[in-house]
Amino acid sequence: MDFTLPPLLTSLVDRGNGLLWGSVLIYLLIGAGIYFTVMTRGIQLRYFGHMFKLLGSSRQSNGGISSFQALSTSLAARVGTGNLAGVAVAIYFGGPGAIFWMWMTAMVGMATSFVESTLAQAYKTDHGDNTFRGGPARYIERGLGLRWLAVLFSICLIIAFGLAFNSVQANSIAQAMEQAFAIPTWAMGLVLMAIVAPIIFGGLKSIAKVAELVVPLMALLYLVLALVVVGLNISDLPAAIMTIVRSAFGFEQAAGGAVGYAVSQAIMNGIQRGLFSNEAGMGSAPNAAATASTRPNHPAAQGFIQMLGVFLDTLVICTATAAIIIMAGPELMAGDENNGIQLTQMALSSHVGDWGGMFIAVAILLFAFTSVIANYSYGESNIEYLAGRRAPLAVMIYRLAVLAMIMIGSVASLGAIWNFADLSMGMMAIINLVAILMLSPVAFALFRDYEAQLKAGKEPVFDPSRFPKLVNKVDPKAWPAINNKR
C-alpha cells in the first residue's frame, strides 16, 4: 500500500521543502545559534561542566515530572533512526567531513536549545495534577500575544510529530524486524499498537517514566558497543579523526581539484542531518522541557539540562555511529545501495560479525519506539492547548488516531506523508525561531539572573517580580513557592 498526494500538491510540497530545507532554515537555525552563543558568551562552553552537575538533582520532582524525566523524553524523540541511518546518509553524500559540521551544528544548537527550553519553563502553566504544560505555543501566546501564530505552530507540530513521524518510525521498526527476523509488517504493527497503547493512555507521567528507564539503557548499550569497536581499532582512531577534519575542509580532495564542491557537500549534509537529529530550534523539545519540576527552582535550570540533550544526541551518539562507519573503511560506501541504515549495519557487521546487523535492527526498534511515545507526548500537549475545555475528548480522539497511524505506517509506503511532515516541521521551526529571537531578551535576562545568583554562592531561585516582562505573564500556580512568598 502506497500513500500518494495529487501531482499538484506533491509539486508544491516538494518546492516548499526545497526552499525551507535547502536554504532558509539552514541559515536561520545556524544564524540564531551563533547569535545566542555570542549573547551568552559561549554558554555551552563556559557551563559545560554545570550541565552534568545539575543531573545530580534532576531526578527530584516532588511527585511530578523530574528534570531527568523531561530530558529522557526529549532524548527519546531526538535519538531515533536519524542517529543510525541519518549519520550514514551524511557520510555517504557529504563524506566523513560531514561529521565535523554535525559537531559544529550541535555546538551552536546547544545555545539555541538553552534559550527555547528556558522560555518554555518561564511561561509554563499548571496542569492541576502536579505537572505542567508549555512549549512554543504557550510562550508565543503569553510572551508575544500572538494567539493565531501559536495555533498555527500547534497544528504544524501535531501533523508532523504527533501523526506523520510516528507512522515513519513505525515503518522503520516494521521493515527492520521483517528484514532481520522475518516478522510480517502487519504483525509488528499489531505488536507496536499493543505496547504503545497502555503507555500513551497513561498520559505524560507514564511516558516520562518509560523514557526514564528505556532511553538511558538503550543509549548506554549502543555506546558500549561503539567503544568496543573503537577499542578493537584503537590504532586507527587518530587516522579516523584526521580523515573527518581533512575532509571537512577539502584537504582530502585537494589533489583532485574538487575542493569547493566537496566542502559544500560536507557542510550541507552535516548541517542538515545534525539539525534533523538534535532538533535544536525546531520547537519540539521545549514541550518536554516545560513539563519538568526544576531544581534549582529556576527556568534556566531546565535550559542547561536540555542543552545536555543536544550534546548527548549529536556529539556522543551520532559520533558513535560515525566511528563505527569510518573505521570500517571507505570500501563499504562503494555501492549505491549502501547509503542509509544498510551502511551502518554492514559497518558494524564488519567489526563484530553477522550479529551486528541484528543488533542494529534491535537498536532501531528501541530508538524508534521511544521516539513514537515522545512524539505522541508533544502532540498531546498541543492538543490540550488547542482544545481547552474539550481537551479530554480531543486527547482521546488523538490517542486513537496515533494508534491508527502506527498500524498504517507499519504496512504502508509513506514517501508522500514523510515529505508533507517535513514541510510541517519546517514551518513550525520557522515560527519557533522567529518567536525565540523576539523573546531572547527574556531568556538572556533569566540567564544573567541565574548566573549572578550562582556566582554569589546561592542556589538560583526564580522571582518573577524581578522581571518586568514576565511579572504579569507567569502562571502563579506554576511557581507556587515563589508566588506564595510575595
Side-chain angles (χ1 to χ4, degrees):
M1 183 166 53
D2 187 10
F3 282 82
T4 58
L5 298 174
L8 178 60
L9 185 56
T10 299
S11 176
L12 291 175
V13 169
D14 288 342
R15 289 184 181 183
N17 278 327
L19 176 64
L20 289 179
W21 294 104
S23 55
V24 176
L25 264 176
I26 288 179
Y27 296 120
L28 189 56
L29 281 162
I30 296 300
I34 293 173
Y35 171 67
F36 296 143
T37 298
V38 171
M39 294 301 293
T40 58
R41 294 173 289 124
I43 186 174
Q44 61 272 67
L45 298 177
R46 295 195 297 122
Y47 285 88
F48 184 78
H50 187 66
M51 297 186 302
F52 291 92
K53 184 178 179 180
L54 287 180
L55 278 180
S57 59
S58 64
R59 291 183 179 271
Q60 301 177 28
S61 63
N62 299 320
I65 295 175
S66 69
S67 287
F68 184 79
Q69 288 175 327
L71 171 64
S72 297
T73 302
S74 66
L75 273 175
R78 285 182 172 121
V79 179
T81 53
N83 295 77
L84 300 173
V87 172
V89 170
I91 293 175
Y92 181 84
F93 289 104
I99 303 305
F100 177 87
W101 297 110
M102 286 184 75
W103 293 340
M104 295 301 100
T105 300
M107 286 302 297
V108 298
M110 288 171 71
T112 303
S113 183
F114 173 85
V115 169
E116 62 181 355
S117 297
T118 298
L119 290 172
Q121 270 286 314
Y123 291 100
K124 69 184 180 182
T125 59
D126 179 53
H127 193 250
D129 60 352
N130 209 25
T131 66
F132 308 100
R133 297 293 185 272
R138 288 169 176 82
Y139 57 66
I140 289 171
E141 180 178 2
R142 284 176 166 265
L144 299 176
L146 301 175
R147 165 77 180 177
W148 67 269
L149 191 61
V151 169
L152 179 59
F153 174 88
S154 289
I155 292 172
C156 290
L157 184 142
I158 292 166
I159 291 172
F161 282 83
L163 300 174
F165 286 165
N166 277 340
S167 287
V168 174
Q169 296 289 356
N171 186 268
S172 298
I173 294 172
Q175 295 296 326
M177 292 298 104
E178 183 181 46
Q179 181 175 347
F181 305 107
I183 299 174
T185 55
W186 63 267
M188 198 65 229
L190 292 175
V191 170
L192 278 175
M193 289 176 63
I195 296 174
V196 169
I199 298 173
I200 65 175
F201 274 87
L204 298 196
K205 281 188 178 182
S206 173
I207 292 169
K209 289 178 181 178
V210 172
E212 181 183 29
L213 293 174
V214 178
V215 171
L217 177 62
M218 74 179 190
L220 183 61
L221 288 175
Y222 188 66
L223 291 176
V224 167
L225 184 62
L227 288 173
V228 169
V229 170
V230 171
L232 293 173
N233 302 274
I234 193 65
S235 61
D236 298 329
L237 182 59
I241 294 174
M242 286 303 300
T243 296
I244 292 173
V245 175
R246 288 174 61 85
S247 177
F249 295 97
F251 299 138
E252 293 281 322
Q253 300 84 3
V259 177
Y261 178 77
V263 171
S264 67
Q265 288 299 299
I267 293 174
M268 291 295 290
N269 281 278
I271 290 175
Q272 285 179 333
R273 296 300 161 181
L275 294 175
F276 267 113
S277 180
N278 61 55
E279 299 179 12
M282 295 290 184
S284 51
N287 293 276
T291 65
S293 300
T294 61
R295 185 172 179 183
N297 197 9
H298 196 289
Q302 183 62 199
F304 285 110
I305 292 289
Q306 291 297 330
M307 223 170 40
L308 181 58
V310 175
F311 171 79
L312 293 173
D313 172 86
T314 305
L315 291 169
V316 177
I317 298 176
C318 285
T319 300
T321 301
I324 290 171
I325 294 172
I326 294 173
M327 289 181 140
E331 61 276 1
L332 282 179
M333 293 183 284
D336 290 339
E337 69 279 2
N338 300 328
N339 60 8
I341 194 64
Q342 298 90 350
L343 179 58
T344 307
Q345 287 177 310
M346 291 182 65
L348 185 57
S349 296
S350 72
H351 292 298
V352 301
D354 292 340
W355 65 269
M358 290 186 288
F359 178 88
I360 292 296
V362 174
I364 290 175
L365 171 63
L366 291 174
F367 283 24
F369 163 71
T370 54
S371 291
V372 166
I373 61 174
N375 290 343
Y376 162 83
S377 74
Y378 294 166
E380 179 182 304
S381 179
N382 284 270
I383 286 285
E384 289 182 338
Y385 171 76
L386 292 176
R389 296 178 180 178
R390 297 185 178 89
L393 176 60
V395 168
M396 182 62 65
I397 294 173
Y398 170 63
R399 287 169 177 169
L400 296 175
V402 168
L403 293 176
M405 292 299 284
I406 288 173
M407 189 65 206
I408 291 171
S410 298
V411 299
S413 175
L414 301 171
I417 291 180
W418 175 256
N419 289 337
F420 192 66
D422 279 348
L423 182 62
S424 295
M425 185 169 69
M427 290 176 62
M428 64 176 261
I430 287 180
I431 294 171
N432 181 61
L433 285 166
V434 171
I436 63 177
L437 282 168
M438 293 177 68
L439 290 170
S440 60
V442 175
F444 299 151
L446 288 167
F447 168 59
R448 290 192 296 269
D449 179 67
Y450 184 97
E451 186 178 45
Q453 293 186 61
L454 203 63
K455 289 182 177 179
K458 304 176 183 177
E459 180 175 292
V461 173
F462 175 49
D463 184 352
S465 66
R466 293 200 297 265
F467 302 89
K469 292 183 179 181
L470 281 175
V471 66
N472 295 320
K473 298 179 180 180
V474 170
D475 181 3
K477 295 180 181 178
W479 302 94
I482 307 304
N483 286 277
N484 289 342
K485 185 182 69 175
R486 291 170 57 195

